[in-house]
Amino acid sequence: MQEGTVKYIDPVKQERYDRAYLRMAAEWAGLSHCRRKQVGALIVKEGMIISDGYNGTPSGFANECEDANGETHWFVLHAEANAMMKVARSHNSSRNSTLYLTLSPCRECAKLIHQSGIVRLVYSNEYKDPSGLDFLREAGVEVVKIEPLTGY
């Protein structure tokens, strides 16, 4: 297998897996203490979940993502950033992996996704600013949108 490619899998089977992993990411999003948006992420490599994450405050901080006005604190970590940091702390690598997100990434996280070696992104809902997706496509990351899941 060439570096930067994902092993071929039947498209019907791949969609089944994509939907299943997105459902799992949606469950993970439910662990977030954020009130405005709850976002979940999974990183999958060679058929194994190697990391997970959800949006929230850094370790050691109160689990309050928003201020009294309902604005998100600047220090809240995005779900994908949390998942990538878990991989960085492990003995694993996200090179040639797939990231599953319940909300498409912002442009700051898109840079981290590309730099971490993730080659495929599957998401269900769109962030208000599409520039993160545009950047990933330009960087050669395969971007797949699956319609928002119902019931999650």
Side-chain angles (χ1 to χ4, degrees):
M1 182 165 68
Q2 284 185 327
E3 189 168 334
T5 62
V6 176
K7 182 179 169 186
Y8 175 78
I9 186 169
D10 174 64
V12 173
K13 189 175 185 180
Q14 183 65 62
E15 184 175 350
R16 277 186 52 221
Y17 282 115
D18 289 346
R19 288 185 180 283
Y21 286 128
L22 278 175
R23 282 192 303 273
M24 293 171 76
E27 284 292 324
W28 218 246
L31 296 174
S32 172
H33 291 274
C34 296
R35 291 181 307 233
R36 283 186 52 221
K37 277 191 179 85
Q38 293 182 315
V39 182
L42 289 179
I43 300 176
V44 176
K45 182 175 181 177
E46 298 174 359
M48 294 179 288
I49 298 169
I50 63 168
S51 192
D52 53 54
Y54 53 87
N55 58 324
T57 57
S59 300
F61 284 75
N63 285 325
E64 294 180 15
C65 299
E66 295 87 6
D67 63 21
N69 298 322
E71 295 295 317
T72 302
H73 292 297
W74 68 267
F75 52 83
V76 168
L77 293 163
H78 292 185
E80 58 272 42
N82 268 327
M84 288 183 285
M85 291 302 99
K86 276 188 177 180
V87 171
R89 289 192 316 263
S90 75
H91 295 288
N92 229 323
S93 165
S94 56
R95 182 174 306 281
N96 297 325
S97 64
T98 298
L99 171 64
Y100 291 90
L101 274 175
T102 59
L103 182 68
S104 65
C106 70
R107 60 185 176 188
E108 293 300 316
C109 287
K111 293 186 293 188
L112 299 175
I113 292 165
H114 170 60
Q115 201 66 14
S116 71
I118 292 170
V119 295
R120 188 166 180 265
L121 166 70
V122 179
Y123 71 98
S124 55
N125 297 291
E126 293 200 6
Y127 182 62
K128 60 187 174 190
D129 177 5
S131 61
L133 292 173
D134 295 339
F135 172 82
L136 289 172
R137 287 184 189 104
E138 187 177 331
V141 174
E142 179 186 355
V143 176
V144 177
K145 180 179 183 190
I146 292 184
E147 288 306 310
L149 305 167
T150 56
Y152 286 90

